[in-house]
């Protein structure tokens, strides 16, 4: 099937209850969208969950709506979409790896905003596969741009998002990853970290450092955003979001 949802949903639009009361606090004319559209072809971790589908049995269409005087007699179609919350660009909330942890709708606007740090590694990764991001990359970033500000959100720009639609298998199986030393650095500095964003299904899902970022950050109310997309190249190394 073709793309089902043409509108790209902002990462923070996943938290509608927060945004509804927060539009007055920020201007949105300069927002940069860092998400991918949702589709039945959206890459997913198929070993655990299934792709987005349109359920024809639960979809509805027609002109007879006797329980709704407004719609009755008018052709209307409602497609029923089924997908897991970890489909596409999404936030991993604390509850993802903590029993009784906080969900996305428990997070406040203040917990979702802070200085943006973009670690540009697209030239380092290039066309190579399964590239390990290390502590050296992060320390080099600090030497050039200074130490992290409080509540920094670190996004890694590896350029891998270009394979999201063009080569989903490569996107899933050959993505760059945060190696053990990079995870150590983030965990050591997590008091200054709001969260981490990465252009893959999982930043550290590799045999070198399986899930250590998830198990260390999420229980401490830090966030992880996976499948980051959009125009990362246009963003400076440090900015405020």
């Amino acid at each position: 099937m073709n793309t089902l949802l043409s509108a790209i949903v902002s990462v923070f639009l996943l938290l509608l209850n927060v945004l509804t009361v927060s539009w007055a606090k920020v201007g949105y004319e300069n927002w940069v969208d860092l998400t991918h559209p949702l589709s039945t072809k959206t890459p997913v971790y198929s070993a655990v969950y299934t792709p987005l589908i349109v359920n024809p049995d639960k979809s509805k269409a027609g002109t007879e709506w006797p329980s709704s005087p407004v719609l009755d007699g008018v052709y209307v179609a409602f497609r029923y979409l089924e997908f897991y919350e970890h489909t596409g660009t999404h936030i991993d909330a604390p509850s993802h790896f903590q029993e009784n942890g906080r969900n996305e709708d428990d997070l406040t606007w203040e917990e979702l905003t802070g200085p943006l740090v973009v670690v540009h590694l697209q030239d380092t990764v290039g066309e190579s596969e399964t590239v390990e991001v290390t502590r050296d990359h992060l320390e080099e970033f600090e030497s050039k741009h200074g130490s992290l500000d409080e509540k920094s959100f670190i996004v890694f720009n590896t350029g891998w998002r270009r394979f999201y639609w063009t080569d989903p298998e490569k996107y899933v199986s050959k993505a760059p990853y945060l190696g053990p030393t990079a995870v150590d650095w983030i965990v050591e500095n997590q008091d200054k970290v709001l969260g981490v964003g990465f252009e893959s299904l999982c930043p550290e899902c590799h045999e070198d450092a399986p899930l250590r970022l998830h198990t260390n950050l999420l229980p401490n109310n830090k966030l992880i955003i996976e499948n980051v997309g959009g125009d990362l190249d246009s963003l400076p190394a440090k900015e405020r979001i």
Side-chain angles (χ1 to χ4, degrees):
M1 296 182 183
N2 294 324
T3 300
L4 300 175
L5 303 176
S6 58
I8 298 176
V9 182
S10 165
V11 169
F12 295 122
L13 290 180
L14 294 172
L15 311 171
L16 288 177
N17 65 314
V18 174
L19 280 176
T20 299
V21 297
S22 303
W23 282 119
K25 296 184 179 181
V26 297
Y28 54 86
E29 63 275 4
N30 294 321
W31 282 35
V32 177
D33 189 347
L34 299 180
T35 68
H36 290 288
L38 286 175
S39 165
T40 53
K41 296 182 179 179
T42 294
V44 299
Y45 187 34
S46 57
V48 176
Y49 54 92
T50 54
L52 182 152
I53 64 169
V54 178
N55 187 326
D57 296 330
K58 294 185 178 181
S59 296
K60 297 181 178 182
T63 58
E64 297 183 4
W65 308 97
S67 60
S68 174
V70 174
L71 296 181
D72 199 29
V74 180
Y75 177 84
V76 183
F78 300 96
R79 290 180 295 178
Y80 193 95
L81 308 183
E82 295 180 353
F83 60 96
Y84 286 83
E85 63 177 330
H86 294 274
T87 301
T89 307
H90 64 274
I91 293 176
D92 283 356
S95 60
H96 185 35
F97 269 73
Q98 182 183 38
E99 188 174 359
N100 300 319
R102 301 168 71 207
N103 294 314
E104 291 89 340
D105 57 346
D106 297 319
L107 304 173
T108 66
W109 178 257
E110 286 69 28
E111 292 175 289
L112 295 169
T113 55
L116 175 66
V117 171
V118 183
V119 183
H120 290 285
L121 296 174
Q122 61 269 47
D123 292 336
T124 300
V125 173
E127 298 299 321
S128 301
E129 298 178 347
T130 323
V131 174
E132 178 183 357
V133 178
T134 68
R135 174 188 289 268
D136 289 343
H137 293 119
L138 291 161
E139 291 181 345
E140 181 181 356
F141 177 89
E142 272 199 317
S143 68
K144 290 181 178 179
H145 304 287
S147 59
L148 297 177
D149 296 324
E150 294 294 328
K151 293 183 60 181
S152 289
F153 198 100
I154 307 172
V155 175
F156 292 85
N157 178 17
T158 64
W160 206 250
R161 62 194 180 282
R162 69 187 184 277
F163 298 115
Y164 190 83
W165 299 116
T166 60
D167 194 341
E169 182 177 352
K170 182 175 182 176
Y171 176 83
V172 172
S173 63
K174 303 295 183 180
Y177 68 98
L178 296 175
T181 61
V183 173
D184 287 342
W185 187 94
I186 294 170
V187 172
E188 291 166 10
N189 288 276
Q190 67 174 302
D191 287 346
K192 292 184 177 182
V193 174
L194 182 72
V196 173
F198 212 78
E199 299 171 272
S200 71
L201 295 181
C202 177
E204 86 292 13
C205 290
H206 188 274
E207 59 186 13
D208 289 347
L211 299 175
R212 286 186 56 238
L213 192 72
H214 282 72
T215 55
N216 279 279
L217 291 194
L218 297 182
N220 288 321
N221 290 315
K222 311 298 181 181
L223 307 177
I224 297 174
I225 297 182
E226 295 166 333
N227 297 317
V228 174
D231 189 12
L232 277 172
D233 294 347
S234 70
L235 295 176
K238 282 191 173 183
E239 187 58 274
R240 185 161 188 85
I241 57 173

